[in-house]
Amino acid sequence: MSTYGYTNNKTDKSFNVPPIYWLLFGLVTLFLVWAPFRVALFNGQNTNFEQSIYAAALWVAIIGLVTVGITITNKKWTNIDHLTIIIFLLPISYAISLISAASQYLAINMLIITFMYAIFFVASIYLAQQKQFNRLLIATITTISYIVVFFGLFHWLGNGPFINSLVKWLGAPTLDSGAYKDAVMSDSNGARLTSVFQYANTYAAYLMAFLFVAVFQIGHSKALWSKFVHGFMLVPIILSIFLTLSRGGLVLLPVVFVLLLVFLQPHKQLMWILHLAVSSIITFVILNPVTEAGLSLQKAFSASQSLTGWGYVLVSSIIAGGISFALEKWVSPVLEKATQSLSNKKWGNFLIPIGGALLGGLLLFLLISTNVKNVLPENIQTRLENINFEQHSVLERFTFYKDAMKVVKDYPVIGAGGGAWSALYEQYQNNPYTSRQAHNFYLQYLIETGVLGFAIFAVILVYIFSKYIRNYISDNEENRNDYFVYFIIAASILIHSILDFNMSYVYLGILVFICLSGMMTSVKAAPIKSKLKPKTIRITFSTVLSVTSLVVLITASTFISSANAYNKAIKTADTSNSYEEIISPLNKALSIRAHHPEYVSFKANLLIQVYKQTQDEAFYEEAEKLLTDTLKTEPTNKTLLMRMNALYSTKKLEKDIFEIYDSNKYRYPWDIEWYEQYMHISVLLASASLDDQAAKSKYLDVVISSINHINKGIEHLKTLPEGQLQGRKFEITPKVALHSGQAYYMMGQTQQAYDIMKAHLQKDLNDATNAELMTWYLAASSKLKLEDKANLSKLLQVNPDANASIDSILSMKVD
């Protein structure tokens, strides 16, 4: 007989549970099927990704309301139930961080996401407490992961359009070819398998988790067909890990493997090693032909080559599944008997993992540093050879982490709000890299919520893991096995998140919180002594969960409506020049989200264009107010700042433009384009202030200060480690040289003007900047009594009035 969600670990073989459990499980299952194919709900911090997250929030809110029906029936209140309250401290900490948020838009999105995590945590606890639903939930999660694996391989072997046609109705991003967008992504390393994630490293983390789930399920499954299926999946998963070309995945895989082995009895440890060794050997046999087939198929489809590739994959998987089945049937009992005495020793579980760690380290060494690597495809060899602490991705991550701590120093207590790294990193970066993710989930969380929020998260995480491990040690074998999959998935993804932004994929975040709740469910429920009656607590919590779910439901619904209206405005702008037709849906979007930066930027641009055409002040004033109000909540948004400058330029308000650049320069110390425009407007204002010595000096000093800043930055970049890439361009460009030369010239320092401009002359004088640079250079040359007839001749060919321009510069009043 069911005890309605509050008992724990007791055998309940019947499915005699209230229908509401089936409704909840059905909703969760449908969500878990849908979410991966929406780019795993990646929080990409722009309109391209946000609509999927809002749709997910709507779905999760409904799950929360259904869960309320279960909480009402919870007759007792235990230590597990208390955690369903405590988990809401996570979104509360994000709500507090709104006070100092660097971007209200990004922070609100992250607040919604953390509410989703909390609601899923609560719902999953109630499902996992029912043994039959716990098994169904694990089976669902595992099955979906296997689908994702084959979805990726279909794209690798050229069948992307076919397999994607089966899921594109879910809203999967689809190319003109019919394939899933970037399921195989090309970068400087070549083609990399990403499946639904569009990011190879996160896919590698996902694969690592479910590789260990598959190995565990081989031994845990009672049905013979199930053992074969999980064994069958080992080769596709290992193959996919290699095809991601993820060095972080290959480095952390043995770390997680050794950690998980410690939790197993010696004979199971040996079985894990055997299963993985056999499937790895089989994978190595087919790795070269399947890799080459995939690389070729990315360029042009060939049915015969695709079928050959599938032949390798399927035959080798069947062989691996058969061997795994045989190992479990005949070898496992022998090993269990042989290791019985070792199992009885306290240190018995540690002996094989230590040996396994040494063996794994030796294997990694052989693959990286010896000719053994020659058995691998060339692209994989190259990636393995670059595994060291001096290669650029490692050095860049260390730089991210150091820069992240600079942000924490300025926002120590409550953080800078959700999405803070994306909003602030340019201000704190050591060199001009581009990365809207900190590549470390924990540091990103610390930046966003400060020490307060991070401490709450850390305490919850440590509490759940410590409770799970202590219970695992004392529990019986059956109960251990029922919940160990949750531990495998959570540990794998959270450990890998030290090096990457896996948790920026909301689907993976939800998966982790499902697993945390499953781990907590394994703990024996103990009644909580409280002055409040369980009924009072139950009603109060149910009310809070109802209100929270309704707020998320309403918010998500309105945000979806807003996003739909914005998308309609974008599509209308592509086909119509009618201001009224475009502005109508856009105003609807803004009526819901008045300070959404992309909506505001789009409308401001429209208003600017209409003002230019009509000179109607109402359009100018509306654009100015819209941008001014939005910049109060989005002060770091460079696009909005540039829109404001574009607005000011329509009235030639150079001083206002200067103020934008001057007051925000600290936010973009490595943006060379920012400094080009900053120097340009300063020179213009100096030219207009030739009779006002104080004003002229003020603006020219800005230019000299800017060139000194750029030179200092260039020298700093020379100190970067040899293997680290500097990132974006940061150098003395023709524009920088031009404006510096102009400033020096107007200050009477003609030699300095001549020197910097001569050093950066360009051959292409059809470019306006290059021609102007040449003109000022020739003026400085003339003033220094130096002749450069060759360059003057070149300039005259593109600008017959060049001599007049030079004479105008020479007649300028200078110090």
Side-chain angles (χ1 to χ4, degrees):
M1 180 176 176
S2 170
T3 43
Y4 304 112
Y6 62 84
T7 58
N8 187 56
N9 293 337
K10 302 299 181 185
T11 301
D12 183 7
K13 296 182 179 180
S14 74
F15 270 65
N16 184 26
V17 294
I20 196 168
Y21 278 89
W22 285 106
L23 176 60
L24 178 60
F25 176 74
L27 288 171
V28 168
T29 298
L30 290 174
F31 178 90
L32 293 176
V33 170
W34 167 81
F37 298 102
R38 300 294 288 261
V39 197
L41 304 180
F42 178 55
N43 182 20
Q45 303 167 337
N46 60 47
T47 54
N48 293 330
F49 298 100
E50 67 179 24
Q51 197 162 5
S52 291
I53 293 175
Y54 301 150
L58 184 65
W59 202 318
V60 173
I62 295 170
I63 288 173
L65 291 173
V66 173
T67 305
V68 170
I70 296 177
T71 64
I72 292 173
T73 66
N74 194 357
K75 303 298 183 183
K76 297 180 181 179
W77 203 256
T78 70
N79 57 333
I80 297 175
D81 297 303
H82 260 48
L83 201 58
T84 61
I85 298 176
I86 294 170
I87 202 68
F88 281 93
L89 290 176
L90 299 182
I92 288 172
S93 68
Y94 268 96
I96 293 171
S97 72
L98 282 168
I99 297 170
S100 55
S103 166
Q104 288 287 317
Y105 158 64
L106 297 178
I108 288 172
N109 281 356
M110 200 61 218
L111 177 61
I112 292 172
I113 288 168
T114 48
F115 268 120
M116 291 165 62
Y117 292 159
I119 291 171
F120 242 106
F121 182 88
V122 176
S124 300
I125 273 188
Y126 289 114
L127 281 179
Q129 284 178 332
Q130 300 290 335
K131 281 240 174 184
Q132 61 270 40
F133 283 113
N134 177 62
R135 294 186 183 117
L136 286 173
L137 185 59
I138 290 172
T140 299
I141 292 170
T142 305
T143 301
I144 291 168
S145 74
Y146 292 170
I147 292 171
V148 168
V149 170
F150 270 97
F151 185 79
L153 289 176
F154 267 99
H155 279 81
W156 182 260
L157 293 173
N159 314 114
F162 160 71
I163 195 65
N164 193 54
S165 67
L166 303 180
V167 298
K168 66 180 181 181
W169 60 276
L170 294 172
T174 303
L175 298 171
D176 291 340
S177 66
Y180 187 95
K181 186 176 185 295
D182 290 330
V184 178
M185 180 179 285
S186 294
D187 61 15
S188 58
N189 304 294
R192 303 178 68 180
L193 184 60
T194 71
S195 192
V196 298
F197 293 94
Q198 298 185 348
Y199 182 60
N201 292 344
T202 289
Y203 186 37
Y206 183 78
L207 290 167
M208 176 175 68
F210 286 98
L211 173 65
F212 298 134
V213 168
V215 178
F216 171 75
Q217 294 283 38
I218 294 170
H220 176 55
S221 300
K222 292 180 173 60
L224 299 181
W225 64 267
S226 181
K227 291 180 182 292
F228 173 79
V229 168
H230 294 301
F232 175 93
M233 286 303 303
L234 294 182
V235 168
I237 294 174
I238 296 172
L239 175 65
S240 297
I241 290 174
F242 277 107
L243 294 177
T244 64
L245 302 183
S246 173
R247 289 172 296 206
L250 290 174
V251 169
L252 287 178
L253 191 148
V255 175
V256 176
F257 178 56
V258 171
L259 170 68
L260 295 175
L261 285 183
V262 172
F263 289 83
L264 303 174
Q265 292 179 340
H267 81 279
K268 290 192 174 181
Q269 294 172 351
L270 291 172
M271 289 304 300
W272 274 43
I273 293 171
L274 282 174
H275 287 306
L276 288 175
V278 168
S279 53
S280 295
I281 291 170
I282 294 172
T283 303
F284 280 130
V285 172
I286 69 165
L287 186 55
N288 265 298
V290 174
T291 299
E292 294 303 319
L295 293 174
S296 177
L297 287 163
Q298 299 313 305
K299 299 173 183 176
F301 180 73
S302 165
S304 61
Q305 196 168 28
S306 178
L307 286 172
T308 301
W310 277 116
Y312 281 118
V313 172
L314 295 176
V315 171
S316 60
S317 299
I318 291 170
I319 292 171
I323 293 175
S324 289
F325 174 83
L327 288 172
E328 283 296 321
K329 185 171 181 63
W330 290 293
V331 177
S332 182
V334 174
L335 288 178
E336 183 174 8
K337 186 176 181 180
T339 58
Q340 188 63 49
S341 59
L342 183 61
S343 300
N344 294 332
K345 292 180 170 58
K346 290 184 178 181
W347 49 266
N349 285 23
F350 293 91
L351 181 62
I352 296 173
I354 292 172
L358 294 174
L359 184 63
L362 176 61
L363 180 60
L364 198 58
F365 170 77
L366 292 173
L367 288 173
I368 295 173
S369 305
T370 71
N371 290 332
V372 173
K373 65 176 178 288
N374 292 334
V375 303
L376 301 174
E378 184 178 351
N379 60 337
I380 297 174
Q381 286 183 46
T382 302
R383 293 291 285 176
L384 288 174
E385 287 170 352
N386 290 331
I387 294 179
N388 60 71
F389 287 104
E390 300 302 321
Q391 52 96 14
H392 72 90
S393 65
V394 174
L395 295 171
E396 285 168 359
R397 277 171 169 76
F398 286 152
T399 298
F400 297 160
Y401 304 160
K402 291 176 184 176
D403 293 345
M405 294 311 298
K406 298 176 191 174
V407 184
V408 173
K409 185 178 179 182
D410 282 354
Y411 299 87
V413 181
I414 62 173
W421 171 264
S422 176
L424 294 171
Y425 82 92
E426 285 190 82
Q427 178 179 334
Y428 294 89
Q429 62 186 166
N430 176 69
N431 52 282
Y433 55 78
T434 300
S435 179
R436 299 191 69 183
Q437 303 286 341
H439 288 266
N440 182 305
F441 163 65
Y442 304 97
L443 280 177
Q444 202 153 310
Y445 200 102
L446 179 59
I447 289 169
E448 292 177 344
T449 63
V451 173
L452 176 63
F454 185 80
I456 293 170
F457 175 72
V459 167
I460 290 174
L461 210 59
V462 170
Y463 177 79
I464 292 174
F465 272 90
S466 61
K467 279 284 187 180
Y468 173 81
I469 292 170
R470 289 169 65 182
N471 184 76
Y472 184 92
I473 293 170
S474 61
D475 214 342
N476 60 58
E477 187 70 13
E478 182 183 353
N479 283 333
R480 286 178 176 179
N481 290 339
D482 282 346
Y483 300 95
F484 193 58
V485 164
Y486 296 126
F487 178 75
I488 292 172
I489 298 171
S492 298
I493 293 174
L494 289 172
I495 289 173
H496 192 278
S497 294
I498 295 171
L499 294 180
D500 245 306
F501 50 89
N502 309 316
M503 296 290 282
S504 291
Y505 288 85
V506 179
Y507 166 66
L508 287 189
I510 286 173
L511 201 56
V512 166
F513 275 86
I514 288 174
C515 292
L516 291 176
S517 67
M519 289 165 58
M520 194 61 202
T521 306
S522 73
V523 178
K524 291 181 173 60
I528 293 292
K529 294 181 180 179
S530 173
K531 293 181 181 179
L532 296 174
K533 295 181 180 179
K535 182 179 180 180
T536 303
I537 299 174
R538 183 175 71 248
I539 292 173
T540 302
F541 177 67
S542 298
T543 302
V544 171
L545 183 58
S546 297
V547 172
T548 299
S549 299
L550 284 171
V551 169
V552 173
L553 180 73
I554 294 168
T555 302
S557 299
T558 56
F559 283 7
I560 290 171
S561 176
S562 178
N564 287 337
Y566 172 72
N567 290 333
K568 182 179 179 181
I570 293 290
K571 290 179 180 178
T572 303
D574 290 338
T575 58
S576 172
N577 291 322
S578 170
Y579 174 76
E580 289 73 19
E581 289 181 9
I582 299 170
I583 207 67
S584 178
L586 184 56
N587 280 339
K588 179 182 178 182
L590 284 164
S591 68
I592 298 171
R593 306 195 71 182
H595 297 148
H596 189 299
E598 291 188 54
Y599 301 177
V600 168
S601 177
F602 184 36
K603 183 173 182 180
N605 186 50
L606 283 176
L607 292 169
I608 291 168
Q609 300 308 315
V610 175
Y611 172 71
K612 285 180 179 179
Q613 295 170 14
T614 66
Q615 293 299 301
D616 185 338
E617 287 295 317
F619 292 105
Y620 181 94
E621 291 170 3
E622 184 179 359
E624 186 176 36
K625 185 178 188 307
L626 181 65
L627 288 166
T628 300
D629 290 347
T630 306
L631 280 167
K632 291 175 183 177
T633 61
E634 306 295 327
T636 67
N637 193 291
K638 193 186 301 182
T639 301
L640 295 181
L641 293 172
M642 293 300 98
R643 284 281 184 262
M644 185 67 89
N645 279 343
L647 178 67
Y648 288 150
S649 69
T650 62
K651 290 189 174 184
K652 298 183 179 180
L653 301 176
E654 283 88 0
K655 289 185 179 180
D656 293 302
I657 296 172
F658 172 84
E659 185 58 32
I660 292 286
Y661 282 113
D662 188 63
S663 60
N664 291 281
K665 64 183 178 183
Y666 73 95
R667 300 188 194 276
Y668 312 107
W670 293 102
D671 188 337
I672 198 65
E673 292 181 3
W674 184 277
Y675 274 90
E676 288 174 345
Q677 296 304 313
Y678 183 32
M679 296 167 76
H680 170 64
I681 199 67
S682 299
V683 168
L684 285 179
L685 288 169
S687 299
S689 307
L690 293 178
D691 295 325
D692 184 342
Q693 187 61 38
K696 174 186 169 184
S697 296
K698 169 189 171 182
Y699 296 122
L700 293 180
D701 285 346
V702 164
V703 180
I704 302 306
S705 175
S706 296
I707 187 62
N708 290 336
H709 168 81
I710 293 168
N711 280 324
K712 184 179 178 181
I714 291 170
E715 290 303 311
H716 171 74
L717 293 175
K718 292 177 182 178
T719 68
L720 294 178
E722 185 177 349
Q724 184 171 351
L725 304 176
Q726 77 168 46
R728 302 188 310 276
K729 177 180 69 175
F730 193 81
E731 59 190 28
I732 299 178
T733 64
K735 288 183 179 180
V736 170
L738 168 63
H739 303 320
S740 300
Q742 290 170 324
Y744 281 126
Y745 185 89
M746 283 189 278
M747 294 172 72
Q749 300 176 25
T750 310
Q751 186 63 53
Q752 289 92 326
Y754 173 85
D755 291 341
I756 193 168
M757 290 190 290
K758 182 179 181 181
H760 297 88
L761 294 175
Q762 305 294 309
K763 292 181 180 179
D764 180 14
L765 296 182
N766 290 309
D767 178 87
T769 298
N770 296 343
E772 190 177 4
L773 175 62
M774 181 65 76
T775 303
W776 277 81
Y777 157 75
L778 290 170
S781 300
S782 180
K783 192 159 189 173
L784 292 171
K785 310 300 182 185
L786 300 173
E787 292 187 0
D788 192 339
K789 293 181 179 179
N791 277 321
L792 177 59
S793 176
K794 293 177 184 177
L795 182 61
L796 287 168
Q797 290 177 18
V798 297
N799 179 16
D801 299 324
N803 281 318
S805 299
I806 293 170
D807 290 340
S808 176
I809 295 169
L810 289 170
S811 65
M812 181 183 294
K813 180 182 177 181
V814 297
D815 291 341

